[in-house]
């Protein structure tokens, strides 16, 4: 909408002026032409040389041009001040108010945004984006019912526009009206044959709100209808993780990893959580990222009690400097202890500095002392 509005307002500013002077002789026309040619910095330079209070200067045009140039340069506070000055000087063109509303909204001044739109409501009724701006500004002000009412008005005006019922669903989720949100979400998806991304977005909002059952319903439908959608598959697996159904989540990510190899590590980790450590080890061997692969393999070998295998990874852990991570260093120390290399274990434990691991190290040292005193107990 911004480009269209800008072209319209510039056309009016350049060619709708009452003055009979040619554009080359009128500095305001010159500034407008520079804006139209995408030179907002030059337009501002021209305007800086003018006195807006001078009798020959049209203050509405001057401040409007200044606001548009500042907006194009990314100086939103200056743009807002200039457009507000244009309004104070008597601006009546709807596009000035719409720009003031947009910029105020971006700056977080929702009251000014709503006020600007309300002053040209009749002229902007058929512009969908102004309804989104109005609804969201009302929502951010805490006027939730008014925001929903604005969306309802927009839905009546634009029955074929899916963006309004979609936004309404998310508002209902934020309000905690989950059942209504789920019902209206289903109606929206059916009415507009929405993309998998829409199902995923609604389900993700429900999941974050703690409504995993409702999120699961949306995502299972998305996965069945669009098995090729990796986003739907990953989102569904995420819900199963929330429910601690690690086996199901692992199977889903394992399938997705066929098409996206970066997911192999995630699949292996989920199999590990599901207790399928040998399946996790099999996938671990396919991980391309050596650091991620080694860290995960260390955890798996320790869980399986394969301490000698864990110790055999020591050179690689040092080569990749993974022992800089104290959790990794402690794990290596524990593997060394369990494999009978007490000196090696103590060497690693002596380098720990983190409080929680230091306390664990004390326990391991105590166990080492007992094993040295009574070796038969540690066979």
């Amino acid at each position: 909408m911004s480009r269209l509005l800008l072209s319209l307002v510039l056309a009016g500013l350049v060619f709708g002026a009452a003055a009979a002077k040619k554009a080359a002789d009128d500095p305001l026309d010159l500034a407008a032409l520079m804006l139209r040619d995408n030179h907002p910095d030059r337009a501002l330079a021209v305007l800086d040389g003018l006195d807006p209070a001078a009798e020959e200067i049209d203050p509405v045009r001057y401040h409007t041009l200044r606001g548009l140039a500042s907006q194009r340069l990314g100086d939103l506070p200056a743009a807002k001040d200039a457009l507000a000055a244009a309004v104070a000087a008597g601006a009546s063109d709807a596009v000035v108010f719409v720009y003031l509303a947009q910029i105020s909204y971006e700056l977080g001044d929702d009251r000014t945004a709503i006020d600007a739109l309300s002053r040209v409501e009749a002229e902007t009724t058929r512009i969908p984006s102004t309804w989104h701006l109005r609804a969201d500004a009302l929502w951010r002000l805490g006027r939730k019912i008014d925001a929903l009412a604005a969306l309802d008005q927009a839905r009546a005006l634009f029955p074929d526009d899916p963006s309004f019922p979609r936004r309404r669903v998310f508002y209902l989720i934020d309000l905690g009206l989950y059942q209504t949100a789920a019902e209206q979400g289903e109606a929206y998806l059916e009415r507009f044959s929405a993309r998998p991304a829409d199902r995923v977005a609604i389900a993700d909002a429900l999941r974050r709100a703690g409504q995993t059952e409702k999120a699961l319903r949306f995502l299972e439908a998305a996965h069945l209808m669009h098995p090729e959608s990796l986003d739907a598959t990953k989102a569904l697996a995420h819900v199963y993780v929330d429910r601690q159904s690690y086996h199901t989540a692992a199977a889903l990510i394992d399938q997705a990893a066929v098409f996206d190899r970066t997911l192999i590590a995630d699949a292996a980790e989920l199999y590990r959580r599901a207790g399928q450590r040998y399946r996790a080890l099999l996938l671990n061997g396919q991980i391309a990222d050596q650091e991620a692969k080694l860290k995960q393999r260390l955890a798996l070998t320790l869980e399986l009690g394969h301490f000698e295998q864990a110790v055999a990874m020591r050179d690689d852990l040092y080569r990749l400097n993974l022992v800089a991570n104290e959790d990794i260093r402690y794990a290596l120390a524990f593997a060394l202890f369990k494999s009978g290399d007490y000196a090696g274990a103590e060497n690693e434990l002596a380098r720990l500095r983190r409080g929680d691991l230091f306390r664990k190290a004390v326990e391991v040292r105590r166990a080492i002392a007992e094993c040295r005193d009574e070796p038969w107990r540690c066979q």
Side-chain angles (χ1 to χ4, degrees):
M1 182 179 72
S2 296
R3 281 187 186 172
L4 174 60
L5 286 176
L6 183 60
S7 63
L8 290 174
V9 74
L10 289 178
L13 288 168
V14 176
F15 302 110
K21 296 179 181 180
K22 294 181 180 179
D25 299 324
D26 187 331
L28 292 182
D29 283 349
L30 180 60
L33 285 170
M34 287 178 172
L35 257 183
R36 192 182 65 176
D37 290 340
N38 200 29
H39 296 296
D41 50 342
R42 297 182 187 178
L44 274 182
V46 172
L47 295 170
D48 285 340
L50 302 178
D51 180 4
E55 185 176 350
E56 68 274 12
I57 297 297
D58 178 350
V60 172
R61 292 188 70 212
Y62 172 86
H63 290 299
T64 300
L65 285 167
R66 191 168 199 89
L68 294 174
S70 296
Q71 187 263 350
R72 293 279 289 278
L73 288 169
D75 188 350
L76 297 186
K80 178 189 171 187
D81 290 344
L83 292 173
V87 170
S92 58
D93 198 323
V95 291
V96 176
F97 288 90
V98 171
Y99 264 105
L100 177 58
Q102 286 181 319
I103 292 168
S104 298
Y105 171 80
E106 290 182 44
L107 289 171
D109 185 357
D110 298 310
R111 296 184 188 282
T112 298
I114 292 169
D115 179 65
L117 288 178
S118 67
R119 295 179 65 173
V120 288
E121 189 168 345
E123 295 92 329
T124 59
T125 297
R126 303 303 305 183
I127 303 176
S129 59
T130 63
W131 287 99
H132 280 294
L133 195 156
R134 180 183 287 109
D136 209 38
L138 287 166
W139 186 265
R140 295 196 318 197
L141 284 171
R143 296 168 58 181
K144 313 294 189 181
I145 301 303
D146 291 335
L148 289 171
L151 289 180
D152 288 340
Q153 286 180 269
R155 286 197 301 169
L157 289 166
F158 310 101
D160 295 324
D161 189 329
S163 62
F164 296 110
R166 185 180 190 277
R167 183 183 287 268
R168 197 176 200 280
V169 171
F170 290 110
Y171 281 178
L172 291 171
I173 292 171
D174 283 348
L175 286 172
L177 302 174
Y178 304 120
Q179 185 60 38
T180 303
E183 291 170 358
Q184 293 194 13
E186 291 284 10
Y188 156 71
L189 293 167
E190 183 177 349
R191 164 74 172 80
F192 293 100
S193 301
R195 302 165 300 162
D198 289 316
R199 287 187 180 274
V200 171
I202 293 173
D204 187 57
L206 288 167
R207 183 187 65 78
R208 285 185 283 106
Q211 299 297 303
T212 55
E213 286 290 344
K214 291 181 174 61
L216 194 59
R217 190 175 73 203
F218 275 90
L219 290 171
E220 284 179 337
H223 184 60
L224 287 171
M225 296 169 64
H226 305 280
E228 78 288 351
S229 171
L230 289 179
D231 286 339
T233 301
K234 289 189 288 185
L236 179 58
H238 201 159
V239 173
Y240 278 116
V241 169
D242 288 346
R243 294 162 60 92
Q244 297 186 355
S245 298
Y246 298 120
H247 177 80
T248 303
L252 286 166
I253 296 300
D254 196 358
Q255 293 170 18
V258 173
F259 305 99
D260 182 355
R261 305 299 288 173
T262 63
L263 295 174
I264 292 174
D266 294 327
E269 175 60 20
L270 288 169
Y271 277 124
R272 185 185 74 81
R273 293 193 197 182
Q276 298 187 50
R277 297 182 182 88
Y278 286 104
R279 174 63 179 163
L281 273 174
L282 181 64
L283 287 177
N284 175 268
Q286 302 174 40
I287 297 174
D289 184 328
Q290 290 303 301
E291 289 191 14
K293 178 178 181 176
L294 202 58
K295 284 174 14 180
Q296 189 178 77
R297 180 166 287 268
L298 178 63
L300 285 166
T301 52
L302 288 175
E303 287 182 11
L304 288 166
H306 298 168
F307 301 113
E308 288 77 12
Q309 290 183 24
V311 170
M313 298 165 61
R314 177 166 46 181
D315 289 346
D316 289 332
L317 292 172
Y318 268 90
R319 178 173 55 82
L320 295 173
N321 197 32
L322 292 180
V323 288
N325 180 326
E326 292 208 352
D327 288 308
I328 299 291
R329 188 181 293 280
Y330 174 77
L332 176 59
F334 187 78
L336 287 162
F337 158 62
K338 294 297 287 185
S339 64
D341 185 350
Y342 302 143
E346 288 181 323
N347 180 57
E348 299 297 340
L349 292 172
R351 303 185 187 190
L352 297 175
R353 295 292 178 269
R354 221 172 70 200
D356 59 327
L357 294 179
F358 188 82
R359 287 188 292 274
K360 288 184 178 181
V362 171
E363 294 300 319
V364 175
R365 287 195 181 95
R366 183 178 294 117
I368 290 173
E370 291 176 355
C371 289
R372 281 175 169 157
D373 290 340
E374 301 178 277
W376 59 270
R377 300 183 60 179
C378 301
Q379 296 300 319

